[in-house]
Amino acid sequence: MALDRSDVEKIAHLARLAVAPADCDRYAHDLSNILDLVARMDAVDTTGVEPMAHPLHMTQRLRPDLATEPDQRDRFQAIAPQTDAGLYLVPKVIE
Amino acid sequence: MQWETVIGLEIHTQLATQSKIFSGSSTRFGAAPNTQACAVDLGLPGVLPVLNREAVRLAVRFGKAIDAELAERSVFARKNYFYPDLPKGYQISQYEFPIVGEGRVEIVLDDGTVHEIGVTRAHLEEDAGKSLHEDYQGSTGIDLNRAGTPLLEIVSEPDMRSAAQAVAYAKKVHQIVRWIGISDGNMQEGSFRVDANVSVRPAGQTTFGTRAEIKNVNSFRFLERAIQFEVERQIDLITAGGKVVQETRLYDPDRDETRTMRVKEEANDYRYFPDPDLLPVQLDAAFIAAAIADLPELPDAMRERFQADYGLADYDANLLTAGRELAAFFEAVAQGSGAPKLAANWIGGELTAALNKSGLEIGASPVTADQLAGLIRRIQDGTISGKIAKQVFEALWNDGGDADQVIAEQGLKQITDSGAIESLIDSIIAANQDQVAQYRAGKEKVFGFFVGQVMKQSQGKANPQQVNDLLKQKLLA
């Protein structure tokens, strides 16, 4: 499977990554190579093999339902660029 | 042309936990902004999510309640998108391996028809924060108290064919989550939010039309109106030669219309992948057994039992199983009074009206099940008439006490002594000879006048049936 320049631009936009226009063709080439490798693995018969969701052979530990976190808003907001009345302020978002 | 509507719902219900799904922050509603948002909720570097056992337990209860398959192994995935109220840049959700698989919910419409609506899946995920757009010039305020609150997203099959069916389904799911205690279902506070996928197609066509998604409808009434509006909009559009665009729309209750929220350029391009911070969740038999051990009798089963055991009609059985507290109240009154149908009538009538008038829930009823049962016993054994019973009910509602006390203190005991009623009737007949003549001349309406007089002079205490019988005898004599 071959990615072209526009695929790279689209993925970069979705991930909010600034990819220099001069680098796009190289990324398209490298990413295509990775996908080719995946395509080769795809050819292996995996019938009956459970998809791996995590490399560790362990299951999720569960935490008791207790509210243990103290309010540390002042400390968190001390490192925020802009706050007001307890809110974090960000550039206007229009829905 | 005949059109068919196709609706599927996605319901987000907040799970009733003390702490968040992946952190130890409190989930209490209404706290000052960002006082319940810790490093994990803020997505600070280096933090790790740890799954809340209770959220898993509540999801299992729901799965059992809708007769769904429970996934022995489920996997959390990252749903990637950028929005300021989602600090990590992704929402932790479940994608390919949700915890609850296919299930079903039965709905009963007002016309009595029963429909089974398929549930595709239900998965655990975290809620986002809240954006406040209004108060800040040029800025948006972000409150992350809600970020990380556990949600169960319940996805239905596109099985509904009308707004009424969609509302009935949403109400049923709402009833179930409250019934089994997994969510408070508070719609004003956003604990129960409904998104509707709506499309239309010519009747008989098997493929689906293009759908629009109506987001975050926060009342059942708005859900019905939003769907109705959207269906008309789509039919008009297609009839005029246009095409429905797949998009997200918002319902505006003030203008009673839906409008475009955003046309997603990269619709559904969330690039899900398994979250490496979380291991697969394994449900073992012991965990499931413990989670569902105290599941109460479910509303459908209880409704059927009420019909079978108490001889209730469909309508009453449905009404009385709307909520668990109401159902328990009814059972207590039915058993305490030995008169289930009267109990159903009184709860559905007088009590509900009084509760509504005072804006009270059944749990806060000033008249307890014991008190109401006591009252009904006195109707049942003929001590008081139904009419006087309303007076007693009012006294119980306002001043407390028990029915026997009120009846004794206010002298409301029904007059069943036929001698006493007869002498009353005799005096009334003697004093109203004109009306007697009219009645005997065939003017039957005058009968009501006599009944009224007897009831008035007995202060409503004369047994109505005896009054009727004796009046007839005497007037025709």
Side-chain angles (χ1 to χ4, degrees), chain A residues 35-79:
Chain A
L35 289 178
D36 286 343
L37 176 66
V38 174
R40 267 158 65 196
M41 293 195 287
D42 253 351
V44 177
D45 180 7
T46 54
T47 316
V49 178
E50 191 174 81
M52 186 178 74
H54 203 282
L56 296 181
H57 281 286
M58 291 166 70
T59 55
Q60 181 61 40
R61 190 176 70 84
L62 301 176
R63 169 178 65 79
D65 180 29
L66 296 170
T68 51
E69 286 289 341
D71 169 20
Q72 301 191 73
R73 183 177 77 183
D74 291 347
R75 296 178 65 191
F76 292 133
Q77 297 203 333
I79 55 168

Side-chain angles (χ1 to χ4, degrees), chain B residues 13-16 174 177-178 182-187 189 191-192:
Chain B
T13 188
Q14 266 179 25
L15 296 173
H174 187 248
V177 299
R178 288 166 48 118
I182 68 166
S183 174
D184 66 18
N186 188 321
M187 296 180 91
E189 294 178 2
S191 300
F192 192 87

Side-chain angles (χ1 to χ4, degrees), chain B residues 204-464:
Chain B
Q205 181 180 310
T206 49
T207 53
F208 293 129
T210 305
R211 66 173 195 265
E213 183 179 19
I214 310 169
K215 275 276 186 203
N216 280 350
V217 186
N218 67 356
S219 86
F220 296 121
R221 194 163 58 92
F222 291 163
L223 176 64
E224 184 155 27
R225 282 165 50 181
I227 292 171
Q228 282 166 350
F229 174 88
E230 183 58 22
V231 167
E232 273 181 44
R233 186 189 72 87
Q234 292 186 13
I235 292 174
D236 289 349
L237 190 63
I238 298 169
T239 311
K243 268 191 166 173
V244 176
V245 184
Q246 184 167 342
E247 61 179 353
T248 304
R249 299 180 70 85
L250 272 183
Y251 176 68
D252 178 346
D254 295 330
R255 297 163 69 174
D256 191 22
E257 64 177 27
T258 65
R259 57 170 182 266
T260 300
M261 183 173 157
R262 58 179 174 231
V263 179
K264 277 188 204 162
E265 237 178 292
E266 299 101 9
N268 298 324
D269 209 342
Y270 292 125
R271 294 149 297 134
Y272 283 95
F273 64 92
D275 190 331
D277 287 345
L278 288 154
L279 292 153
V281 179
Q282 193 84 34
L283 290 182
D284 60 38
F287 183 91
I288 294 173
I292 64 175
D294 63 340
L295 261 189
E297 182 184 21
L298 293 169
D300 286 351
M302 191 178 267
R303 191 184 67 228
E304 281 166 28
R305 183 167 61 79
F306 279 9
Q307 289 178 279
D309 291 4
Y310 299 121
L312 295 190
D314 264 0
Y315 176 85
D316 286 336
N318 233 341
L319 186 92
L320 293 167
T321 51
R324 245 171 104 188
E325 280 191 312
L326 181 65
F329 192 98
F330 163 74
E331 283 221 272
V333 178
Q335 285 166 11
S337 67
K341 284 187 187 173
L342 264 180
N345 291 344
W346 272 83
I347 292 169
E350 215 67 16
L351 181 68
T352 299
L355 290 171
N356 287 347
K357 202 172 150 198
S358 313
L360 294 174
E361 297 286 327
I362 185 76
S365 170
V367 174
T368 63
D370 268 0
Q371 286 174 302
L372 187 56
L375 171 62
I376 290 171
R377 279 200 302 274
R378 293 301 158 258
I379 306 171
Q380 186 74 353
D381 67 14
T383 307
I384 51 173
S385 68
K387 199 170 173 202
I388 290 292
K390 290 184 183 178
Q391 201 176 322
V392 178
F393 178 83
E394 258 192 62
L396 294 177
W397 180 278
N398 292 323
D399 310 317
D402 68 50
D404 288 339
Q405 259 176 350
V406 175
I407 293 165
E409 278 166 16
Q410 301 192 17
L412 297 174
K413 196 170 173 336
Q414 185 163 241
I415 303 167
T416 51
D417 171 5
S418 49
I421 297 174
E422 273 185 72
S423 63
L424 196 56
I425 289 176
D426 288 341
S427 72
I428 288 167
I429 285 180
N432 297 283
Q433 282 301 314
D434 285 355
Q435 282 84 350
V436 174
Q438 284 172 18
Y439 182 76
R440 288 181 177 153
K443 201 172 171 192
E444 292 194 4
K445 267 184 4 197
V446 185
F447 190 74
F449 163 80
F450 288 104
V451 174
Q453 286 299 309
V454 177
M455 293 318 273
K456 191 176 165 193
Q457 295 199 20
S458 71
Q459 289 160 323
K461 290 185 286 186
N463 178 300

